Amino acid sequence: MKRILMISSDYEPCYGGIGIHVKNLIYELIKLEYQITLLVGRMKTSSDYAYTSGELYSITADTEELKVVEIDTNFTRSLSKEELKLRSVLEEKDIFDYDTAILNQLFLKGAIAYLGHTDDEFRLIHLHDAFISFGAVMLGKFLHIPTVVTMHSMNSGEAWMIDNVRRYLVNNVDKILCVSDFIRNEIIRRFNFTDVSKLQTVHNSVRLEIRKREQPVLPNGEFVFCGRLEEVKGADLLIRAVSLLPQSYRERVRLTIIGSGSAEEQLKSLCEEVHMEEKTVFTGLISQNDVFKYYEKAMCVVLPSRKEAFSTAALEAMSIGCCVLASDVGGFTELIRDGENGFLFKTENVQELTEKLRYVFDHTKIVNETGRKAQLKVSEEYLWKTTAKKIHDIYEEFGHVR
């Protein structure tokens, strides 16, 4: 038997990059004859998804190959009036720390309740990212099985509690998979981590069979941003950069911002401030299929992150032959060679970003060629079939999965 207990804070129907990663990995592992039980403990709910069961957990999928168990981690519903009042006066960092602590408590409670009602035997835990670190490590000790973690991000400030959670995690699991060399190097630097044999880079990947661009891009002024609407993703930099284009270029611009987050209203206000409101469309959260429809028409996808581990949005855009313009941070520099299979600009440099946007307008032939080379790179190096085989080999290292 090859049943894996997988844990994630992000999964469909409302999900971001981690959820996409988990979904695609499960799809490929099932092909390799694994049976997966996925425990989902969401960091937060949204208007698109909220946990409504009155039980500690709810089984949302139950087949031989895949069981999906939603754990009730709805903080606001479980907090007393006094606790909600406390949370309301905390600063952003402290709210995040507070929620992380509650998440682990609620997750562990629901997970143990589920495990007490199943006869399944698990050979290994595979955790995704650090939000449920304590819960996952405790379950590993409870079940006496190895724990593997995929680290998707190192974005928080080094003084935040979540960074200490990450420190705890990397020192209490059996293997650490990093979605980029940037993440690997950050773990070594930030935590003075010396057991490098536990670290292995396994990049994010993409499914090429979804679709591909049918026609070459034209100088139509279509720029697309896709990501969480948070400061770290830098959508504000893109809005400012587009506003600085000469009038003859701005007349042709259409900026599409895909995603949702706490900065959405600020970004809309910024559009009004720089007179971009009529040129900018905010789509909110949309399906992956609809995201690709925007990519197909775009001159380029612009990802101006202030920090980035290894962007799923960049991989998906490149996979259909779309040119990506990104900041020169983190995993972007492992994926994109400036001027060859995409374009990079110095992070936070709005003026340079404006110049690169203008270059895209003026050199569509080169833009099409970079898109073609981007698709070639992704097809050769970042396919889920290959990634799943690497993860299978890592599972095999423990001698528990045969």
Side-chain angles (χ1 to χ4, degrees), residues 148-167:
V148 172
V149 60
T150 294
M151 297 293 286
H152 293 263
S153 174
M154 294 287 285
N155 279 349
S156 64
E158 297 184 26
W160 290 36
M161 187 186 80
I162 188 63
D163 220 46
N164 287 320
V165 170
R166 290 188 178 109
R167 186 192 302 273

Side-chain angles (χ1 to χ4, degrees), residues 188-255:
I188 293 170
R189 180 194 68 81
R190 200 180 293 187
F191 305 141
N192 194 26
F193 193 75
T194 58
D195 192 0
V196 294
S197 64
K198 288 172 62 174
L199 294 167
Q200 184 169 336
T201 299
V202 182
H203 287 116
N204 275 338
S205 295
V206 72
R207 289 174 59 192
L208 280 186
E209 64 267 28
I210 296 174
R211 65 171 74 244
K212 60 183 179 181
R213 189 194 291 268
E214 297 296 335
Q215 300 294 332
V217 66
L218 299 173
N220 58 10
E222 295 274 354
F223 295 112
V224 175
F225 166 93
C226 183
R228 290 180 291 113
L229 301 189
E230 308 291 347
E231 182 184 9
V232 70
K233 293 296 184 178
D236 58 304
L237 303 174
L238 175 56
I239 293 169
R240 293 189 184 278
V242 172
S243 75
L244 295 176
L245 285 168
Q247 184 62 27
S248 60
Y249 291 83
R250 286 188 60 183
E251 289 174 353
R252 293 181 283 163
V253 163
R254 179 182 171 87
L255 176 58

Side-chain angles (χ1 to χ4, degrees), residues 58 116 160 190 204 208 276 283 295 319 330:
S58 175
W160 290 36
R190 200 180 293 187
N204 275 338
L208 280 186
M276 281 290 298
T283 70
Y295 286 172
S319 76

